[in-house]
Amino acid sequence: MSDLIVVGGGIVGLAHALEATERGLSVTVVERDDHPVGASVRNFGHGCFTAQAGEALEFARRARGTWLRAGKAAGFDVAECGTVVVARAEEELAALEELAGLRDDEVRLLSAAEVADRLPVHPEGLLGGAFLPRDVRVEQRVAAPRLLDHLEQQPGVTVLRGTPVLDVHAGGVRTGRGDLAADHVVVCVGHDLDRLAPAVADEAALERCTLQMLQLRPVTLVRIAPAVLTGSSMLRYPALAATPGAAALRERWRTERPEMLDAVVNHMLTQLPDGDLVVGDTHRYARTPEPWSEEILDELLLAETRALLQADLQVVRRWQGTYASAPGEFLRAPLAPGVVAVSVTSGIGMTTAFGLAPSVLDTLLEHP
């Protein structure tokens, strides 16, 4: 018997488990795989705090401190490296200026020369950019597994790996290895919520967003400390997408770059410790996605990266990511008394989960 069962050992589930342990609760984490292999490791490792808006911004700001504490406790690096947003069009520069006018303490405008000092970008067409100093970066393939290992070693925490959950109900869950009891249950299975609670997923209009991403190796080593966003990112992240500059950019791209809009490209990158670059991403939406990657989308990402950087690049890995998508950014749905399903439905789990979890537990524990 535990105070709380967390179904799912991805970053959203881990955030709830960590928050619960810090509140002195006993916790059982039930993970269907041996270690996290889903969206929590198939991303950029980017804490994209500054570009959020509304509730997501509130959660992101709270999450930052938890990331720093969790990294120290679990033994993974959280780099306070910030983000550089590159502007290569007047509309992009306008969007950054507009955001800086709203949040001058979180957005530092950069000249073209200052961007070039920070990044090995191609100078042709470079107009300037911005530095977002509050953003962080983790090695995404290490952070979630190490945090799960760390939690497993804490008093009052039980981690059950390789254990599929078949049903959730008031007072516990039924797994492929037997029944578990708890006062409260948080279901954090992301896009697979329709496997456990199809009616809830239907009501939320939940579907799967599939991403194509690349790991690229510069032929000549370059060092890129911050995360890097581009004009396409300004069409995706809410704080920038809401600006008139971004609206003007989208309108121009309808004619000049429709392939970027059709593929819902967010061209950005981060660097792994060995120097390889994680580059992405494209977005497709469906209840049941087709399993095939499209080579034309990988080629689009590769061409965008070659145009951005002064570097020859080799493809090392290709993969698809999948996350839950639904109207709004967060799904919090009661399934039974003391049981709630939680999903980040906008692709910002790494950014917001550590801020979302305290809010969920406040509500669950006070009003079961």
Side-chain angles (χ1 to χ4, degrees):
M1 179 76 177
S2 298
D3 294 322
L4 178 71
I5 291 174
V6 176
V7 181
I11 200 64
V12 177
L14 294 173
H16 285 81
L18 181 64
E19 177 68 20
T21 62
E22 291 181 346
R23 296 183 184 205
L25 303 180
S26 60
V27 179
T28 298
V29 179
V30 188
E31 166 56 38
R32 68 185 180 188
D33 294 306
D34 291 336
H35 52 83
V37 295
S40 299
V41 300
R42 304 186 198 185
N43 59 70
F44 297 97
H46 182 208
C48 187
F49 306 134
T50 310
Q52 308 306 324
E55 188 178 40
L57 178 61
E58 176 187 338
F59 290 156
R61 284 171 169 164
R62 184 167 185 175
R64 189 179 192 275
T66 307
W67 267 116
L68 295 173
R69 294 198 314 274
K72 289 180 180 178
F76 60 85
D77 184 49
V78 181
E80 298 182 73
C81 59
T83 298
V84 172
V85 192
V86 179
R88 292 174 293 173
E90 292 292 347
E91 296 92 337
E92 296 168 11
L93 199 59
L96 294 175
E97 290 170 348
E98 289 153 10
L99 182 61
L102 298 173
R103 296 202 213 143
D104 60 349
D105 58 330
E106 295 180 316
V107 181
R108 301 176 192 167
L109 294 175
L110 302 175
S111 67
E114 289 171 324
V115 172
D117 283 343
R118 294 172 182 262
L119 303 174
V121 293
H122 200 289
E124 183 177 353
L126 180 62
L127 299 181
F131 180 57
L132 315 181
R134 297 284 293 167
D135 291 0
V136 303
R137 182 175 48 77
V138 300
E139 189 178 348
Q140 60 274 37
R141 299 170 194 179
V142 168
R146 286 195 182 170
L147 183 55
L148 182 59
D149 292 345
H150 168 72
L151 283 167
E152 192 170 24
Q153 298 166 10
Q154 303 310 300
V157 177
T158 300
V159 174
L160 302 178
R161 303 171 189 256
T163 303
V165 170
L166 308 178
D167 180 54
V168 296
H169 50 81
V173 304
R174 181 167 60 91
T175 82
R177 300 182 187 275
D179 293 344
L180 301 172
D183 295 327
H184 302 91
V185 180
V186 179
V187 178
C188 303
V189 294
H191 56 81
D192 283 339
L193 180 62
D194 57 1
R195 308 297 194 233
L196 280 176
V200 173
D202 289 346
E203 184 176 355
L206 188 95
E207 58 184 355
R208 288 165 176 79
C209 177
T210 54
L211 323 171
Q212 287 185 211
M213 300 183 68
L214 301 171
Q215 182 173 330
L216 304 180
R217 181 164 298 161
V219 174
T220 301
L221 182 64
V222 297
R223 284 299 177 194
I224 302 176
V228 180
L229 304 182
T230 66
S232 58
S233 308
M234 301 184 205
L235 304 183
R236 182 136 191 103
Y237 291 113
L240 286 161
T243 64
L249 179 66
R250 182 180 294 279
E251 192 59 32
R252 181 156 68 85
W253 277 16
R254 292 187 196 281
T255 300
E256 296 182 7
R257 307 210 66 192
E259 71 283 2
M260 296 287 283
L261 300 181
D262 291 344
V264 197
V265 173
N266 172 22
H267 179 233
M268 61 171 291
L269 62 89
T270 57
Q271 189 166 46
L272 296 170
D274 64 3
D276 285 356
L277 305 176
V278 176
V279 173
D281 50 7
T282 62
H283 300 76
R284 292 185 296 180
Y285 301 87
R287 284 277 301 267
T288 304
E290 295 298 322
W292 328 116
S293 293
E294 299 290 342
E295 185 64 19
I296 192 171
L297 298 181
D298 284 353
E299 288 297 327
L300 178 59
L301 293 174
L302 187 57
E304 284 295 301
T305 310
R306 285 174 171 158
L308 175 68
L309 302 179
Q310 300 182 77
D312 292 327
L313 302 165
Q314 299 174 340
V315 178
V316 177
R317 286 193 177 114
R318 307 169 190 261
W319 68 92
Q320 287 190 350
T322 305
Y323 65 76
S325 178
E329 294 178 303
F330 306 99
L331 172 65
R332 289 153 289 191
L335 302 183
V339 182
V340 62
V342 181
S343 291
V344 178
T345 51
S346 51
I348 53 173
M350 296 289 280
T351 295
T352 60
F354 286 120
L356 169 64
S359 173
V360 169
L361 291 184
D362 284 345
T363 301
L364 181 65
L365 299 176
E366 292 176 14
H367 305 286

